[in-house]
Amino acid sequence: MLAEKYPQEVKKILAKYPPEQKRSAVMPLLYLAQRESGYVTKEALKDIAAMLEITSTEVVSIIGFYTLFHDEKAGKYRMQVCTDLPCALRGADKFLEELCGNLGVKVGGTTADGMVTVEAVMCLAACDKAPMFQLQSADGIEYHENMTVDRTMELVEALRKSKA
Amino acid sequence: MSQYFLLRHRDIPGIGKIDVYKKNGGFEAFKKAVTSMKPAEVTDAVKASGLRGRGGAGFPAGVKWSFIPNNIWPHYVVANADESEPGTFKDREIMESNPYQFLEGVAIAAYAVGANAAYVYLRGEFWPVAHFLDEKIAEMEKAGFLGDKLFGTDYSLRIHTHLGAGAYICGEETALLESMEGKRGQPRIRPPFPAVYGLYGKPTVVNNVETLTNVPLIIEKGADWYKSLGTPDSAGVKIFSLSGRVKKPGNYELPFGTTFRELIYKYGGGIIDDRPVKAIMAAGASSTMIVADDKALDTPMDYASVRALGADLGSASVIVIDDTVSIDWVIGKTIHFFEHESCGKCTPCREGCYWMLHLIERIEHGEKTKENVELLHSVAKQMQNKCLCPLGEFSTMAVTTAIERFPADFKD
């Protein structure tokens, strides 16, 4: 149960919104639910629905609508490379292709050790610093900008080591 | 420009710290508003300044505030920090580097419309920015600039951040409000407009981050000073996000009326490998395609002049395309974006984007026939003026103008 596992956080989230509008807390609570395993489990989903007095279906519709909520397990890190027009004009497509080659995965695939899932995503508002990607994990999201394939591979190695 | 008004961290390092911000006149405008001006006077000052919304629509900010009715309460202010238009990356720099000026703008707007609660809706990808702003808001509370009975008056205000989770459509203000209410971010039918029926069905002002960051300057220095910057049609300064095939992409804070040529060559360092510039998209992916001839390059970037070119300035996200790039590939990218981001509510947008994607893929994979190109143009044309929000419209603008203005790129 989220409220038992993270009592302080849940309280803080609910306090942001008028008491009669607690449904507004659904997105911050989904982020909290993803903190453990990187995706929203069925139990967490029901838990959030009960807490906010909405149906599970309504919570599922939120997860499905927004790209940063996930209902399936993926790699420990989701490496989301922007390949939208401004980044693509600065070599993002080639970067993604070479990166996938180096990691031995296809776009959308996960490395054999389960560490990194590589995805192509829409604009991340860092168009002047392409090639770039964000790294989404249970700890949150961080940007990596002006990247090369070599530096990205070093980063992946560092992530692998930090696990060990 | 030697002096920045919005990207002030470039002149004053450390302005993201509350002491430094205060030392440089920070919160004086908010204090002046709350202690010596009536809310309506604040709105009038912003109206008189000619400040127009920086998120893309260019609607006069003060006029928007004046629509808030005084017979329905409570009121809300929501700062739109959903910044998701391909080619736009200015709000992030403001929030990361000059956060207090932005938050002071939120606070002044809230005072002007009588709101005791304001929210900053950030796109989910700005996760670290939201946490950074939470810290700044806490500092402001500690220093007495947010909370109860501010500056010894009866006015109280609290600001909260709210994270989206990856949906371009939430930059549209009614979709943003739906999202804040814990629903899928799909636009509402308007009217009623958010000024009357906004967050939780209450009167709400939604303004872009950059718009709000201008407000403390207007209150501090006055509307006449503000109008002296820029052009008669477009008052003030603007952050131009320059991207694409230029040597020095980045944010450039310049007065309205700067030409495309100056932006691309004087500030952006010219085109990579000194190639010729071929096309310009002035408002991100939601742009018409401008043929970059001398006339276009010498056009001053203000709302009216860019419109006269058959384009819009929007949020001033200038994507530069050189002669190494084929325009059919460009619209392949924009169509792919809109097909992914269409929220699915309006049939013309949902189905139209789907079919445009199929057609452009066909065209790019070798079937560059007259029939396919004409069909793509026809599908785009039929989508126009048929959707609840501008997304449907935006998805077609590059497509139709690319085919009309760059016909050679659609022939084998």
Short mmCIF file of all heavy atoms in Angstrom, two decimals, chain B residues 63-99:
data_model
loop_
_atom_site.label_atom_id
_atom_site.label_comp_id
_atom_site.label_asym_id
_atom_site.label_seq_id
_atom_site.Cartn_x
_atom_site.Cartn_y
_atom_site.Cartn_z
N VAL B 63 -5.36 41.48 -21.16
CA VAL B 63 -6.75 41.32 -21.58
C VAL B 63 -7.29 40.00 -21.06
O VAL B 63 -8.41 39.90 -20.54
CB VAL B 63 -6.87 41.41 -23.12
CG1 VAL B 63 -8.29 41.14 -23.58
CG2 VAL B 63 -6.37 42.75 -23.63
N LYS B 64 -6.45 38.96 -21.14
CA LYS B 64 -6.83 37.64 -20.63
C LYS B 64 -7.18 37.73 -19.14
O LYS B 64 -8.17 37.17 -18.68
CB LYS B 64 -5.65 36.69 -20.84
CG LYS B 64 -6.01 35.22 -20.90
CD LYS B 64 -4.73 34.42 -21.26
CE LYS B 64 -5.05 33.02 -21.72
NZ LYS B 64 -3.86 32.24 -22.05
N TRP B 65 -6.35 38.45 -18.38
CA TRP B 65 -6.58 38.57 -16.94
C TRP B 65 -7.89 39.31 -16.66
O TRP B 65 -8.58 39.02 -15.69
CB TRP B 65 -5.42 39.33 -16.26
CG TRP B 65 -4.09 38.65 -16.36
CD1 TRP B 65 -3.79 37.51 -17.03
CD2 TRP B 65 -2.87 39.10 -15.76
NE1 TRP B 65 -2.45 37.22 -16.90
CE2 TRP B 65 -1.87 38.18 -16.13
CE3 TRP B 65 -2.53 40.19 -14.96
CZ2 TRP B 65 -0.54 38.30 -15.71
CZ3 TRP B 65 -1.22 40.33 -14.55
CH2 TRP B 65 -0.23 39.38 -14.92
N SER B 66 -8.20 40.30 -17.53
CA SER B 66 -9.39 41.13 -17.27
C SER B 66 -10.69 40.36 -17.50
O SER B 66 -11.75 40.81 -17.10
CB SER B 66 -9.34 42.40 -18.14
OG SER B 66 -9.54 42.05 -19.49
N PHE B 67 -10.61 39.18 -18.14
CA PHE B 67 -11.81 38.37 -18.36
C PHE B 67 -12.27 37.64 -17.10
O PHE B 67 -13.35 37.07 -17.06
CB PHE B 67 -11.57 37.32 -19.46
CG PHE B 67 -11.39 37.89 -20.83
CD1 PHE B 67 -10.64 37.22 -21.79
CD2 PHE B 67 -12.00 39.10 -21.20
CE1 PHE B 67 -10.47 37.73 -23.06
CE2 PHE B 67 -11.85 39.62 -22.47
CZ PHE B 67 -11.07 38.94 -23.41
N ILE B 68 -11.44 37.60 -16.07
CA ILE B 68 -11.78 36.83 -14.85
C ILE B 68 -12.94 37.51 -14.12
O ILE B 68 -12.85 38.68 -13.74
CB ILE B 68 -10.55 36.74 -13.91
CG1 ILE B 68 -9.41 35.98 -14.60
CG2 ILE B 68 -10.91 36.10 -12.58
CD1 ILE B 68 -9.58 34.48 -14.73
N PRO B 69 -14.06 36.81 -13.97
CA PRO B 69 -15.24 37.44 -13.35
C PRO B 69 -15.12 37.48 -11.82
O PRO B 69 -14.49 36.61 -11.22
CB PRO B 69 -16.38 36.50 -13.75
CG PRO B 69 -15.73 35.17 -13.92
CD PRO B 69 -14.31 35.42 -14.36
N ASN B 70 -15.73 38.47 -11.23
CA ASN B 70 -15.63 38.60 -9.77
C ASN B 70 -16.85 38.09 -9.02
O ASN B 70 -17.02 38.38 -7.83
CB ASN B 70 -15.32 40.06 -9.39
CG ASN B 70 -13.82 40.33 -9.47
OD1 ASN B 70 -13.01 39.43 -9.22
ND2 ASN B 70 -13.45 41.53 -9.87
N ASN B 71 -17.68 37.32 -9.71
CA ASN B 71 -18.84 36.74 -9.00
C ASN B 71 -18.74 35.23 -8.87
O ASN B 71 -19.67 34.58 -8.39
CB ASN B 71 -20.14 37.14 -9.70
CG ASN B 71 -20.14 36.75 -11.16
OD1 ASN B 71 -19.12 36.33 -11.70
ND2 ASN B 71 -21.29 36.86 -11.82
N ILE B 72 -17.63 34.65 -9.32
CA ILE B 72 -17.41 33.19 -9.13
C ILE B 72 -16.05 33.02 -8.44
O ILE B 72 -15.04 33.56 -8.92
CB ILE B 72 -17.39 32.43 -10.48
CG1 ILE B 72 -18.58 32.82 -11.35
CG2 ILE B 72 -17.38 30.92 -10.24
CD1 ILE B 72 -18.44 32.34 -12.81
N TRP B 73 -15.99 32.29 -7.35
CA TRP B 73 -14.74 32.09 -6.62
C TRP B 73 -14.57 30.63 -6.25
O TRP B 73 -15.55 29.92 -6.21
CB TRP B 73 -14.76 32.96 -5.33
CG TRP B 73 -14.79 34.41 -5.64
CD1 TRP B 73 -15.90 35.19 -5.81
CD2 TRP B 73 -13.65 35.27 -5.84
NE1 TRP B 73 -15.54 36.48 -6.10
CE2 TRP B 73 -14.17 36.56 -6.13
CE3 TRP B 73 -12.27 35.08 -5.82
CZ2 TRP B 73 -13.33 37.66 -6.39
CZ3 TRP B 73 -11.45 36.18 -6.06
CH2 TRP B 73 -11.98 37.45 -6.35
N PRO B 74 -13.36 30.14 -5.94
CA PRO B 74 -12.07 30.85 -5.99
C PRO B 74 -11.53 31.00 -7.41
O PRO B 74 -12.08 30.41 -8.35
CB PRO B 74 -11.17 29.92 -5.18
CG PRO B 74 -11.72 28.56 -5.40
CD PRO B 74 -13.21 28.75 -5.49
N HIS B 75 -10.46 31.76 -7.55
CA HIS B 75 -9.76 31.90 -8.83
C HIS B 75 -8.43 31.17 -8.76
O HIS B 75 -7.86 31.02 -7.68
CB HIS B 75 -9.50 33.40 -9.12
CG HIS B 75 -10.74 34.22 -9.23
ND1 HIS B 75 -10.73 35.59 -9.23
CD2 HIS B 75 -12.05 33.86 -9.33
CE1 HIS B 75 -11.97 36.04 -9.35
NE2 HIS B 75 -12.79 35.00 -9.39
N TYR B 76 -7.95 30.77 -9.91
CA TYR B 76 -6.64 30.09 -9.98
C TYR B 76 -5.75 30.72 -11.05
O TYR B 76 -6.25 31.24 -12.04
CB TYR B 76 -6.81 28.61 -10.31
CG TYR B 76 -7.49 27.80 -9.24
CD1 TYR B 76 -8.81 27.40 -9.37
CD2 TYR B 76 -6.79 27.42 -8.08
CE1 TYR B 76 -9.44 26.64 -8.38
CE2 TYR B 76 -7.41 26.66 -7.10
CZ TYR B 76 -8.73 26.28 -7.25
OH TYR B 76 -9.35 25.54 -6.27
N VAL B 77 -4.45 30.60 -10.84
CA VAL B 77 -3.48 30.89 -11.89
C VAL B 77 -2.70 29.60 -12.15
O VAL B 77 -2.28 28.93 -11.20
CB VAL B 77 -2.51 32.03 -11.49
CG1 VAL B 77 -1.30 32.08 -12.43
CG2 VAL B 77 -3.24 33.36 -11.51
N VAL B 78 -2.56 29.25 -13.42
CA VAL B 78 -1.76 28.09 -13.78
C VAL B 78 -0.69 28.53 -14.78
O VAL B 78 -1.00 29.13 -15.81
CB VAL B 78 -2.63 26.97 -14.41
CG1 VAL B 78 -1.75 25.79 -14.80
CG2 VAL B 78 -3.72 26.52 -13.45
N ALA B 79 0.56 28.28 -14.43
CA ALA B 79 1.65 28.58 -15.35
C ALA B 79 1.85 27.38 -16.25
O ALA B 79 1.99 26.25 -15.77
CB ALA B 79 2.94 28.86 -14.58
N ASN B 80 1.83 27.62 -17.54
CA ASN B 80 1.98 26.55 -18.51
C ASN B 80 3.47 26.32 -18.79
O ASN B 80 4.11 27.09 -19.50
CB ASN B 80 1.23 26.91 -19.80
CG ASN B 80 1.23 25.80 -20.83
OD1 ASN B 80 2.03 24.87 -20.74
ND2 ASN B 80 0.36 25.89 -21.80
N ALA B 81 4.02 25.28 -18.15
CA ALA B 81 5.42 24.92 -18.34
C ALA B 81 5.49 23.55 -19.01
O ALA B 81 6.33 22.72 -18.70
CB ALA B 81 6.16 24.92 -17.01
N ASP B 82 4.56 23.33 -19.94
CA ASP B 82 4.50 22.03 -20.62
C ASP B 82 5.43 21.98 -21.83
O ASP B 82 5.58 20.92 -22.44
CB ASP B 82 3.07 21.73 -21.05
CG ASP B 82 2.89 20.29 -21.49
OD1 ASP B 82 3.15 19.40 -20.64
OD2 ASP B 82 2.54 20.03 -22.65
N GLU B 83 6.02 23.11 -22.15
CA GLU B 83 6.98 23.25 -23.26
C GLU B 83 7.29 21.97 -24.04
O GLU B 83 8.22 21.23 -23.72
CB GLU B 83 8.29 23.83 -22.72
CG GLU B 83 9.32 24.13 -23.80
CD GLU B 83 10.40 25.10 -23.34
OE1 GLU B 83 11.23 24.73 -22.49
OE2 GLU B 83 10.39 26.25 -23.81
N SER B 84 6.52 21.71 -25.10
CA SER B 84 6.68 20.45 -25.84
C SER B 84 6.73 20.63 -27.35
O SER B 84 6.82 19.65 -28.08
CB SER B 84 5.53 19.50 -25.52
OG SER B 84 5.45 19.27 -24.13
N GLU B 85 6.63 21.86 -27.82
CA GLU B 85 6.67 22.09 -29.27
C GLU B 85 8.08 21.78 -29.79
O GLU B 85 9.05 22.35 -29.28
CB GLU B 85 6.33 23.55 -29.56
CG GLU B 85 6.35 23.92 -31.03
CD GLU B 85 5.22 23.27 -31.80
OE1 GLU B 85 4.10 23.24 -31.29
OE2 GLU B 85 5.49 22.78 -32.92
N PRO B 86 8.21 20.88 -30.78
CA PRO B 86 9.55 20.62 -31.31
C PRO B 86 10.21 21.93 -31.74
O PRO B 86 9.64 22.70 -32.50
CB PRO B 86 9.27 19.72 -32.52
CG PRO B 86 8.02 19.00 -32.14
CD PRO B 86 7.20 20.02 -31.40
N GLY B 87 11.40 22.20 -31.20
CA GLY B 87 12.11 23.43 -31.50
C GLY B 87 12.03 24.47 -30.39
O GLY B 87 12.66 25.51 -30.47
N THR B 88 11.27 24.20 -29.35
CA THR B 88 11.10 25.16 -28.25
C THR B 88 11.82 24.67 -27.00
O THR B 88 11.55 23.56 -26.54
CB THR B 88 9.60 25.35 -27.93
OG1 THR B 88 8.91 25.58 -29.13
CG2 THR B 88 9.39 26.54 -27.00
N PHE B 89 12.72 25.50 -26.48
CA PHE B 89 13.45 25.07 -25.27
C PHE B 89 13.84 26.27 -24.42
O PHE B 89 14.87 26.31 -23.79
CB PHE B 89 14.69 24.23 -25.66
CG PHE B 89 15.47 24.81 -26.83
CD1 PHE B 89 16.49 25.73 -26.61
CD2 PHE B 89 15.17 24.45 -28.13
CE1 PHE B 89 17.20 26.27 -27.68
CE2 PHE B 89 15.88 24.99 -29.21
CZ PHE B 89 16.90 25.91 -28.97
N LYS B 90 12.98 27.27 -24.40
CA LYS B 90 13.27 28.52 -23.69
C LYS B 90 12.78 28.51 -22.24
O LYS B 90 13.47 29.01 -21.35
CB LYS B 90 12.62 29.69 -24.43
CG LYS B 90 11.09 29.55 -24.48
CD LYS B 90 10.42 30.54 -25.42
CE LYS B 90 8.94 30.29 -25.48
NZ LYS B 90 8.19 30.47 -24.22
N ASP B 91 11.60 27.92 -22.01
CA ASP B 91 11.02 27.96 -20.66
C ASP B 91 11.89 27.18 -19.68
O ASP B 91 12.01 27.53 -18.52
CB ASP B 91 9.59 27.41 -20.68
CG ASP B 91 8.67 28.27 -21.51
OD1 ASP B 91 9.00 29.46 -21.72
OD2 ASP B 91 7.64 27.76 -21.97
N ARG B 92 12.46 26.10 -20.19
CA ARG B 92 13.34 25.29 -19.35
C ARG B 92 14.52 26.12 -18.87
O ARG B 92 14.88 26.09 -17.70
CB ARG B 92 13.80 24.07 -20.14
CG ARG B 92 14.66 23.14 -19.34
CD ARG B 92 15.04 21.92 -20.15
NE ARG B 92 16.32 21.42 -19.68
CZ ARG B 92 17.27 20.94 -20.46
NH1 ARG B 92 17.10 20.90 -21.76
NH2 ARG B 92 18.39 20.52 -19.94
N GLU B 93 15.14 26.89 -19.78
CA GLU B 93 16.29 27.70 -19.37
C GLU B 93 15.87 28.75 -18.34
O GLU B 93 16.58 28.99 -17.36
CB GLU B 93 16.96 28.38 -20.58
CG GLU B 93 18.17 29.20 -20.13
CD GLU B 93 19.04 29.74 -21.27
OE1 GLU B 93 18.87 29.34 -22.42
OE2 GLU B 93 19.90 30.60 -20.96
N ILE B 94 14.72 29.37 -18.54
CA ILE B 94 14.24 30.36 -17.56
C ILE B 94 14.08 29.71 -16.20
O ILE B 94 14.58 30.21 -15.19
CB ILE B 94 12.88 30.96 -18.01
CG1 ILE B 94 13.04 31.81 -19.27
CG2 ILE B 94 12.26 31.80 -16.87
CD1 ILE B 94 11.73 32.31 -19.85
N MET B 95 13.38 28.58 -16.17
CA MET B 95 13.07 27.95 -14.86
C MET B 95 14.33 27.42 -14.18
O MET B 95 14.43 27.47 -12.96
CB MET B 95 12.04 26.82 -15.05
CG MET B 95 10.67 27.35 -15.46
SD MET B 95 9.42 26.06 -15.50
CE MET B 95 9.92 25.13 -16.93
N GLU B 96 15.27 26.91 -14.98
CA GLU B 96 16.49 26.36 -14.38
C GLU B 96 17.44 27.44 -13.90
O GLU B 96 18.18 27.22 -12.94
CB GLU B 96 17.24 25.50 -15.42
CG GLU B 96 16.65 24.13 -15.60
CD GLU B 96 17.41 23.30 -16.63
OE1 GLU B 96 18.15 23.85 -17.44
OE2 GLU B 96 17.22 22.07 -16.62
N SER B 97 17.44 28.60 -14.57
CA SER B 97 18.48 29.58 -14.29
C SER B 97 18.00 30.89 -13.71
O SER B 97 18.75 31.59 -13.05
CB SER B 97 19.27 29.86 -15.58
OG SER B 97 19.80 28.66 -16.09
N ASN B 98 16.76 31.26 -13.97
CA ASN B 98 16.21 32.51 -13.44
C ASN B 98 14.85 32.23 -12.80
O ASN B 98 13.85 32.88 -13.12
CB ASN B 98 16.10 33.55 -14.57
CG ASN B 98 15.80 34.94 -14.05
OD1 ASN B 98 15.89 35.21 -12.85
ND2 ASN B 98 15.44 35.85 -14.95
N PRO B 99 14.81 31.25 -11.88
CA PRO B 99 13.51 30.74 -11.41
C PRO B 99 12.69 31.75 -10.62
O PRO B 99 11.46 31.77 -10.71
CB PRO B 99 13.89 29.56 -10.52
CG PRO B 99 15.28 29.87 -10.05
CD PRO B 99 15.93 30.56 -11.22
#
